[in-house]
Amino acid sequence: MKIATWNVNSLRVRLEHVRDWLTSAAPDVLGLQETKLTDDKFPVREFAELGYHCAFSGQPTYNGVALISREPATEIVTDLSGYSDIQRRVLGATFGDLRVLNLYVPNGQSVASEKFEYKLEWLAALTAQLRADLARYEHVVVMGDFNIAPEDRDVHDPAAWQDKVLCTPKERAALKRIEELGLCDAFRLFTQAENIFSWWDYRAAAFRRNRGRRIDLILASVALSEACTICTVDTAPRRLERPSDHAPVFALFELPPSLC
DNA sequence: ATGGTGGTACCACCA
């Protein structure tokens, strides 16, 4: 089972990149963020041509999440329970015995911003949701653009980013609380090279200089993480013409046949 | 200092 996450920063602009990547990487499930499409404009046919089903929750201009999958999704949810929000950032679905939550976590803008408070509230609501999900499902994957760099080694210049949004102790503590529910950062299950990132600013040649941050995560429940054999960032799509500012991240799970 | 979107033909908002 190959599971992937990719913030595409407009699916309209990036559709061919996504289609090419589906063909070459062949994931079983791909979570997309920042589709920036209303549901009536979602390119269902273009994915069906490649043998993929779609589930999506979009809005005009901002946000928007989708799950592209070999098998159709069931038990779809588009909100965190008990947290009403017009922003489309959540897509939960079940594939066989696997529960998937695809997320576009609020960015937070800056620590002084109201958007930072919204981010922390949202993360608290997510934690409650995940506590319930983990009690209900054994195999859970929570993935997406977390807009949190888990540790200093996930940032190109930790000193410059110290206490800045995406790197504050409050955000990192919120992520830690989520992991303590019984979720593992799949990327850190393995020995990794240094300076591996998943997002690079479009400005100042940040990608060429590898000045990025690792903010796109795949978290797996304990039983699932024992079946994880690899977790990698694929930087190839970031090198293309007119790329997303994020690269796809994927993980492989060697599950018993009944779960695939 | 880049890029996507959407309202208006350059600019505001968001990342």
Side-chain angles (χ1 to χ4, degrees), chain A residues 243-256:
Chain A
S244 169
D245 45 355
H246 296 252
V249 179
F250 68 86
L252 268 172
F253 299 93
E254 302 282 351
L255 294 165

Side-chain angles (χ1 to χ4, degrees), chain A residues 37-208:
Chain A
L37 286 175
T38 50
D39 290 348
D40 58 302
K41 299 218 172 62
F42 199 90
V44 174
R45 187 177 52 79
E46 286 81 349
F47 289 117
E49 284 170 359
L50 303 179
Y52 282 95
H53 295 86
C54 301
F56 39 85
S57 179
Q59 67 179 84
T61 316
Y62 304 118
N63 310 314
V65 283
L67 281 163
I68 314 299
S69 56
R70 287 291 190 197
E71 299 301 320
T74 61
E75 301 184 294
I76 294 169
V77 301
T78 58
D79 285 286
L80 300 173
S81 60
Y83 190 79
S84 137
D85 192 353
I86 55 164
Q87 301 192 35
R88 303 291 79 202
R89 301 178 173 278
V90 175
L91 191 56
T94 300
F95 304 93
D97 290 340
L98 177 68
R99 184 65 182 169
V100 174
L101 202 56
N102 178 38
L103 304 174
Y104 178 44
V105 176
N107 174 284
Q109 195 171 58
S110 68
V111 175
S113 161
E114 285 182 6
K115 291 174 186 165
F116 190 76
E117 293 307 310
Y118 164 63
K119 181 178 194 173
L120 296 178
E121 271 180 30
W122 194 97
L123 287 166
L126 172 63
T127 307
Q129 170 80 62
L130 291 174
R131 190 174 286 115
D133 286 343
L134 287 160
R136 185 169 165 200
Y137 303 97
E138 185 183 6
H139 295 107
V140 178
V141 162
V142 185
M143 64 179 173
D145 178 356
F146 277 73
N147 269 315
I148 301 171
E151 300 177 58
D152 278 353
R153 60 179 167 163
D154 298 309
V155 181
H156 72 86
D157 186 348
W161 283 97
Q162 178 149 32
D163 297 329
K164 301 283 196 324
V165 73
L166 312 210
C167 301
T168 64
K170 279 186 178 175
E171 292 161 274
R172 287 176 169 173
L175 179 60
K176 199 91 177 164
R177 280 194 290 276
I178 285 168
E179 291 178 340
E180 282 166 1
L181 298 173
L183 290 162
C184 308
D185 181 347
F187 184 82
R188 292 297 177 204
L189 294 171
F190 307 97
T191 302
Q192 303 281 1
E194 290 182 12
N195 301 312
I196 302 293
F197 308 121
S198 65
W199 172 88
W200 302 261
D201 200 299
Y202 284 119
R203 293 166 285 191
F207 180 68
R208 185 176 57 72

